[in-house]
C-alpha cells in the first residue's frame, strides 16, 4: 500500500485551492440580545459564549433561550444514509448520535438551546483477551472525569441529558450525571441490537476461536456466524450483560424515563425516548427538580433490588457504589448486597441466565424494567415515594404503566413476532419459583477469600447442582498468572475435568481487574469443561456462565492468600444457591486433607509465590488508577477516586 501512494500526492495540492483562501468573512447578521445589566454583571465568558453561538449559526434572536447540554458516548462517522465512513469501536455507540439529534431537535422546538459534546467509549467485547482489557475498568473513571469537566465547561447550562449504551461509557455517564446536584439530568439509554434471524447471539459468537480449536465447528461455520451475530448496526449486546444491566439499573434509579432501557436501537420507539427525555428535562426545570432529588439512598436501594430481580451482571457491584459515591450518598456494602439478593426473587429469564434465555429486546417487549417493578411493588420490595426523571414518583409511574396501552400493545407484539408470552420472560414470584429461578448473586468467603468474592450462582450448570440446591466441587488448583497462559491451556486441552483454574495477578494491581470472558466462554462451550471451576481476582463479563468466582479479595498482589496457592493444592468450593451462602477454601496439599481452619493457618505460614508480578503489559496509567482506587475503598468501594481518602494518605 505504501508503494502505491506517491510522495507527490502527499506534498502537492490542486493550485486552485491557493487562490480560494480568504482572511475575512461577513459574519452573522443581526445583533446579540444583550442588555446593559448583562454587560455590567455577567462574566466575560457568558458574553463571549453568545458570540460563539452566533458564529456557529444559531439565530441571534434566540441566543437567550435556556441552554441545555447533551453529552453522549458517540463514536464513528456515518453518512446521512447510515453508511459507515469511519467505524466506531462498537455498535453500542455507533447510532447514539441519532438520539442526540432527536433530543436536540425537540429542545430547539421547545425554545431551548441545545449543546452537544461527546466522550466515546471502548468495547469490552473487542478487547477480550487483549492488553486493551487492562484499560477497560480504569477507563470508566477517566470518562466520568471528562464528562464532569465538559458539564462544568458550559456554566450556563440548565441541565444535562446523557446518552450512553455500553459497559463502561454508560456507568461513566451515570457517575457524571449523579454529580449534577441541583441541576436536573436525564439519561437516555442507547438500547440493544437485534438477534439474527438465523445465527448466534453476540455472547456465544465470541467463543468461535475456542470451539474451532477443539474441532467443534468448521471454519466456514465460524466465518458465517461471526458475520451475522450483530444483526442490526446499533445498540448493546443481546444478552443481559453489563450494558443491558446498566441500562436497567439507570431506569430503576429514576435517572431514565419508564420503559426506555433495552429499546431496539435505531427504531422509532427508540428515537421517541429521546424526544420524551428532552421534554422531561424541561419539566424537571419547571418543577425545580434536581438530580439530588432523584438520586437518593432509596433510589440506590431500588436499583439494587431491580438488579437482583433481573439477574444482572456482577459488574454492577462496581458501578452502583460508584454512582452512589458520585451523588454524595452512602456506598452499599457486601452485607447490603447479600441481604438484597437473599430477599429479592429473580423474575427474569434472559440470556445468559436461562432457563429459556430470551434476548434483551424480548425483555423490552415483555415490559422491561417497569414490568419487573410492578411485581416488586406488589411484593413490597420497593420505595415508591422516590422522585424520578419524569417529574413524578415511582409509584405514580407504575400506576401509569399498569394501565397503559404501551404495555398491552408491546406484549401482544411479542406474541405476534416470536410466539412468546410476556409472562414467560418476566414472571411473578410464584411463577419464577415454579420455573426454578433462583436468586442471582452469592458472595463466598473462606480462607482463600477473606475479604469476599462473588459468583453468579444462577449461571452454574443445573446438572452440577445437588438435590439440596448446593454446588460442591473439590479439585486440584491449576494456577495461572496471566490470562494468556490460562486460555492457552484451555485451547490446548491441558485442563482436566475437576480442575480448579486459579487466575491470579489479574486484579486492579495486576492487570487492571480485567474481564475474562474469553476464559469463561471457552469453558462453557467445551463439553468436559463444565466440570472445571474458576477462581480469580479479576472480574467477569455479564454474559459469563459457569462455576466462576471473581473479585477474590484481597487480590494476590495486595497480599491476598490466593497469591500463596500452588499447583496441586486441593480447593473446595461450596455454593448454596437457595440460601446464598458460599465458601472457597484450601483443604489439602498433595494427598493430605485438612479443615478450612487448618488451611487458613497453612496459607498464613506460606510465603507469597515468588513469581507474583503485575502483567508485563500493564500501562502506567492503570497502575496509577489501581493505587488510587486501593486508597478509596478498593473493589468493594466501587473502584472510585475518594478524593478525601487519597489526600489524607498523601499527606499522612
Amino acid at each position: 500500500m505504501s508503494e502505491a501512494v506517491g510522495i507527490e500526492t502527499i506534498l502537492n495540492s490542486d493550485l486552485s485551492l491557493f487562490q480560494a483562501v480568504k482572511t475575512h468573512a461577513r459574519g452573522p447578521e443581526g445583533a446579540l440580545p444583550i442588555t446593559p445589566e448583562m454587560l455590567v454583571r455577567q462574566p466575560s465568558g457568558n458574553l463571549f459564549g453568545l458570540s460563539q453561538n452566533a458564529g456557529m449559526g444559531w439565530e441571534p434572536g434566540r441566543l437567550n433561550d435556556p441552554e441545555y447540554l447533551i453529552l453522549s458516548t458517540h463514536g464513528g462517522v456515518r453518512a446521512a444514509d447510515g453508511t459507515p465512513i469511519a467505524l466506531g469501536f462498537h455498535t453500542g455507540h455507533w447510532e447514539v448520535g441519532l438520539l442526540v439529534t432527536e433530543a436536540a431537535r425537540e429542545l430547539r422546538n421547545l425554545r431551548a438551546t441545545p449543546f452537544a459534546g461527546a466522550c466515546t467509549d471502548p468495547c469490552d467485547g473487542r478487547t477480550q483477551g487483549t492488553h486493551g482489557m487492562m484499560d477497560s475498568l480504569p477507563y470508566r473513571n477517566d470518562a466520568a472525569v471528562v464528562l464532569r469537566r465538559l458539564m462544568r465547561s458550559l456554566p450556563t447550562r440548565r441541565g444535562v441529558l446523557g446518552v450512553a449504551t455500553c459497559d463502561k461509557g454508560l456507568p461513566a455517564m451515570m457517575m457524571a450525571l449523579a454529580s449534577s446536584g441541583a441541576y436536573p439530568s436525564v439519561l437516555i439509554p442507547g438500547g440493544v441490537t437485534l438477534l439474527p434471524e438465523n445465527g448466534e447471539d453476540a455472547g456465544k459468537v465470541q467463543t468461535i476461536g475456542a470451539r474451532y480449536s477443539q474441532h467443534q465447528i468448521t471454519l466456514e461455520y465460524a466465518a458465517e456466524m461471526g458475520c451475522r451475530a450483530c444483526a442490526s448496526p446499533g445498540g448493546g449486546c443481546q444478552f443481559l450483560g453489563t450494558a443491558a444491566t446498566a441500562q436497567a439499573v439507570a431506569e430503576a434509579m429514576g435517572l431514565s424515563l419508564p420503559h426506555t432501557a433495552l429499546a431496539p436501537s435505531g427504531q422509532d420507539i427508540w428515537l421517541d425516548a429521546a424526544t420524551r427525555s428532552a421534554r422531561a428535562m424541561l419539566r424537571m426545570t419547571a418543577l425545580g427538580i434536581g438530580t439530588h432529588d432523584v438520586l437518593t439512598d432509596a433510589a440506590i436501594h431500588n436499583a439494587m433490588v431491580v438488579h437482583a430481580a433481573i439477574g444482572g451482571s456482577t459488574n454492577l457491584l462496581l458501578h452502583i457504589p460508584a454512582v452512589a459515591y458520585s451523588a454524595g450518598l452512602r456506598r452499599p456494602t457486601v452485607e447490603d448486597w447479600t441481604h438484597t439478593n437473599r430477599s429479592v426473587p429473580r423474575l427474569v429469564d434472559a440470556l445468559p441466565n436461562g432457563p429459556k434465555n430470551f434476548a434483551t429486546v424480548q425483555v423490552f417487549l415483555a415490559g422491561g424494567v417497569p414490568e419487573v417493578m410492578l411485581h416488586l411493588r406488589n411484593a413490597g420490595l420497593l420505595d415508591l415515594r422516590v422522585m424520578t426523571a419524569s417529574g413524578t414518583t415511582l409509584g405514580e409511574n407504575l400506576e401509569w404503566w399498569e394501565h397503559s396501552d404501551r404495555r398491552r400493545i408491546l406484549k401482544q407484539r411479542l406474541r405476534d413476532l416470536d410466539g412468546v408470552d410476556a409472562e414467560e420472560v418476566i414472571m411473578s414470584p410464584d411463577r419464577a419459583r415454579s420455573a426454578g429461578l433462583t436468586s442471582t448473586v452469592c458472595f463466598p468467603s473462606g480462607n482463600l477469600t477473606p475479604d469476599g468474592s462473588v459468583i453468579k450462582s444462577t449461571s452454574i450448570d443445573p446438572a452440577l447442582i445437588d438435590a439440596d440446591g448446593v454446588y460442591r466441587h473439590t479439585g486440584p488448583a491449576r494456577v495461572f498468572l496471566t490470562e494468556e497462559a490460562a486460555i492457552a491451556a484451555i485451547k490446548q486441552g491441558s485442563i482436566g475435568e475437576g480442575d480448579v483454574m486459579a487466575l491470579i495477578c489479574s486484579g486492579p494491581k495486576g492487570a487492571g481487574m480485567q474481564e475474562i470472558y474469553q476464559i469463561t466462554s471457552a469453558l462453557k462451550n467445551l463439553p468436559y469443561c463444565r466440570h472445571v471451576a474458576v477462581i480469580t481476582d479479576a472480574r467477569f463479563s455479564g454474559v459469563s456462565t459457569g462455576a466462576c468466582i471473581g473479585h477474590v479479595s484481597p487480590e494476590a498482589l495486595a497480599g491476598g492468600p490466593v497469591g500463596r496457592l500452588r499447583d496441586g493444592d486441593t480447593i473446595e468450593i461450596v455454593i448454596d444457591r437457595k440460601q446464598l451462602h458460599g465458601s472457597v477454601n484450601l483443604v489439602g496439599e498433595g494427598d493430605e486433607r485438612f479443615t478450612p481452619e487448618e488451611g487458613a493457618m497453612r496459607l498464613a505460614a506460606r510465603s507469597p509465590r515468588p513469581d507474583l508480578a503485575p502483567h508485563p503489559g500493564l500501562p502506567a496509567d492503570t497502575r496509577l488508577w489501581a493505587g488510587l482506587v486501593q486508597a478509596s475503598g478498593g473493589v468493594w468501594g466501587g473502584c472510585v477516586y475518594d478524593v478525601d481518602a487519597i489526600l489524607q494518605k498523601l499527606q499522612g
Side-chain angles (χ1 to χ4, degrees):
M1 178 62 73
S2 60
E3 294 178 359
V5 180
I7 187 64
E8 67 279 359
T9 66
I10 296 172
L11 298 180
N12 295 326
S13 305
D14 188 321
L15 297 181
S16 64
L17 299 177
F18 310 147
Q19 300 302 322
V21 173
K22 297 180 180 180
T23 59
H24 287 70
R26 182 176 178 84
E29 298 291 337
L32 298 182
I34 54 178
T35 64
E37 184 180 15
M38 291 170 64
L39 289 171
V40 172
R41 297 188 178 278
Q42 291 203 9
S44 64
N46 287 12
L47 300 171
F48 182 55
L50 295 176
S51 297
Q52 293 194 87
N53 297 348
M56 288 184 280
W58 204 254
E59 182 183 338
R62 291 193 54 182
L63 290 177
N64 280 335
D65 288 351
E67 297 178 354
Y68 290 88
L69 177 59
I70 308 172
L71 289 175
S72 79
T73 55
H74 179 255
V77 181
R78 293 159 43 94
D81 64 357
T83 303
I85 297 172
L87 294 175
F89 289 86
H90 55 101
T91 59
H93 64 206
W94 177 247
E95 289 187 332
V96 298
L98 301 176
L99 292 171
V100 173
T101 300
E102 198 72 15
R105 185 178 289 115
E106 185 67 5
L107 287 172
R108 184 191 63 189
N109 292 343
L110 294 173
R111 304 295 297 183
T113 301
F115 289 73
C119 176
T120 200
D121 54 352
C123 175
D124 280 3
R126 186 179 295 274
T127 58
Q128 288 293 338
T130 75
H131 288 189
M133 181 51 72
M134 298 181 201
D135 285 311
S136 169
L137 185 54
Y139 164 86
R140 184 205 66 179
N141 287 11
D142 297 341
V145 169
V146 171
L147 291 166
R148 284 193 294 263
R149 291 190 189 279
L150 288 173
M151 289 160 57
R152 295 191 295 268
S153 295
L154 188 67
T156 50
R157 72 195 183 283
R158 299 284 188 92
V160 182
L161 284 166
V163 187
T165 306
C166 277
D167 292 23
K168 297 304 172 299
L170 181 50
M173 187 68 74
M174 293 164 67
M175 291 166 66
L177 297 181
S179 69
S180 293
Y183 291 95
S185 62
V186 181
L187 181 77
I188 306 172
V192 299
T193 191
L194 301 185
L195 286 166
E197 292 179 354
N198 182 21
E200 297 182 351
D201 67 81
K204 187 173 183 179
V205 82
Q206 292 182 52
T207 70
I208 54 177
R211 285 184 285 158
Y212 178 77
S213 67
Q214 293 292 320
H215 311 294
Q216 293 189 16
I217 59 175
T218 65
L219 173 63
E220 292 74 21
Y221 181 87
E224 185 177 351
M225 292 300 104
C227 184
R228 192 180 295 167
C230 297
S232 55
C237 293
Q238 303 110 330
F239 47 82
L240 197 64
T242 306
T245 304
Q247 291 186 38
V249 160
E251 187 177 323
M253 285 181 180
L255 274 178
S256 299
L257 294 185
H259 204 237
T260 52
L262 313 183
S265 179
Q267 298 186 27
D268 289 343
I269 194 171
W270 174 79
L271 289 171
D272 174 67
T275 303
R276 293 185 295 107
S277 295
R279 295 172 190 157
M281 172 67 64
L282 299 182
R283 174 176 165 81
M284 291 178 74
T285 302
L287 294 175
I289 298 171
T291 304
H292 60 193
D293 299 307
V294 172
L295 284 182
T296 61
D297 288 328
I300 298 298
H301 162 78
N302 286 346
M304 294 172 67
V305 169
V306 169
H307 175 268
I310 65 176
S313 165
T314 55
N315 279 319
L316 270 294
L317 274 64
L318 301 170
H319 301 320
I320 289 177
V323 174
Y325 174 76
S326 299
L329 304 171
R330 172 183 170 273
R331 286 179 271 180
T333 64
V334 177
E335 291 74 24
D336 295 325
W337 285 109
T338 301
H339 172 75
T340 300
N341 278 272
R342 286 177 179 167
S343 58
V344 177
R346 179 164 70 97
L347 305 177
V348 178
D349 180 348
L351 278 166
N353 294 331
K356 293 184 179 178
N357 290 317
F358 295 104
T360 43
V361 68
Q362 293 169 316
V363 176
F364 175 79
L365 291 175
V369 175
E371 190 70 17
V372 174
M373 295 183 95
L374 273 186
H375 292 300
L376 296 172
R377 179 199 67 179
N378 297 340
L381 293 169
L382 295 172
D383 189 325
L384 302 175
R385 300 165 297 176
V386 295
M387 182 55 62
T388 70
S390 65
T392 52
T393 66
L394 174 60
E396 291 169 315
N397 287 346
L398 293 180
E399 283 289 331
W400 161 79
W401 172 257
E402 189 170 18
H403 305 289
S404 68
D405 290 335
R406 182 186 186 98
R407 180 189 186 212
R408 174 182 55 80
I409 293 171
L410 290 178
K411 285 187 176 187
Q412 183 61 48
R413 185 68 176 156
L414 179 60
R415 278 191 286 267
D416 295 343
L417 286 172
D418 298 338
V420 172
D421 186 340
E423 280 67 41
E424 296 179 55
V425 184
I426 300 173
M427 309 179 198
S428 68
D430 289 342
R431 182 165 182 166
R433 198 175 301 111
S434 299
L437 271 64
T438 57
S439 297
T440 306
V441 181
C442 177
F443 298 89
S445 57
N447 61 36
L448 288 171
T449 61
D451 288 350
S453 63
V454 64
I455 182 172
K456 189 187 283 188
S457 53
T458 53
S459 69
I460 303 173
D461 189 327
L464 304 177
I465 307 299
D466 293 340
D468 57 357
V470 179
Y471 167 80
R472 297 177 175 88
H473 182 102
T474 302
R478 295 289 307 281
V479 183
F480 299 92
L481 275 68
T482 66
E483 184 186 17
E484 294 92 331
I487 193 66
I490 294 172
K491 289 185 175 182
Q492 293 163 8
S494 60
I495 297 296
E497 183 173 325
D499 285 348
V500 178
M501 296 184 69
L503 175 59
I504 60 176
C505 296
S506 290
K509 289 187 172 184
M513 202 179 183
Q514 61 192 348
E515 192 177 87
I516 57 166
Y517 179 59
Q518 182 184 208
I519 291 174
T520 57
S521 63
L523 290 174
K524 176 183 178 180
N525 287 282
L526 300 179
Y528 69 91
C529 282
R530 71 173 184 166
H531 298 286
V532 175
V534 179
I535 65 171
T536 181
D537 47 13
R539 59 194 176 90
F540 298 116
S541 166
V543 74
S544 291
T545 56
C548 307
I549 297 170
H551 298 211
V552 169
S553 302
E555 64 175 303
L557 287 170
V562 72
R564 294 176 167 84
L565 272 176
R566 302 168 183 156
D567 277 337
D569 282 344
T570 301
I571 297 176
E572 178 189 65
I573 300 171
V574 179
I575 306 294
D576 187 329
R577 298 209 310 176
K578 292 182 178 178
Q579 301 301 320
L580 294 187
H581 290 289
S583 60
V584 186
N585 287 302
L586 171 71
V587 295
E589 296 177 358
D591 295 330
E592 185 183 7
R593 297 292 178 268
F594 39 75
T595 65
E597 292 73 21
E598 173 66 19
M601 290 188 289
R602 296 203 183 193
L603 285 167
R606 290 182 183 179
S607 298
R609 293 174 60 100
D611 53 358
L612 294 181
H615 193 286
L618 185 69
D621 300 328
T622 300
R623 289 176 55 210
L624 176 61
W625 165 84
L628 294 175
V629 301
Q630 184 66 30
S632 304
V635 171
W636 300 111
C639 289
V640 299
Y641 297 152
D642 184 332
V643 176
D644 291 337
I646 292 168
L647 291 178
Q648 184 176 9
K649 288 184 181 294
L650 287 174
Q651 295 164 0

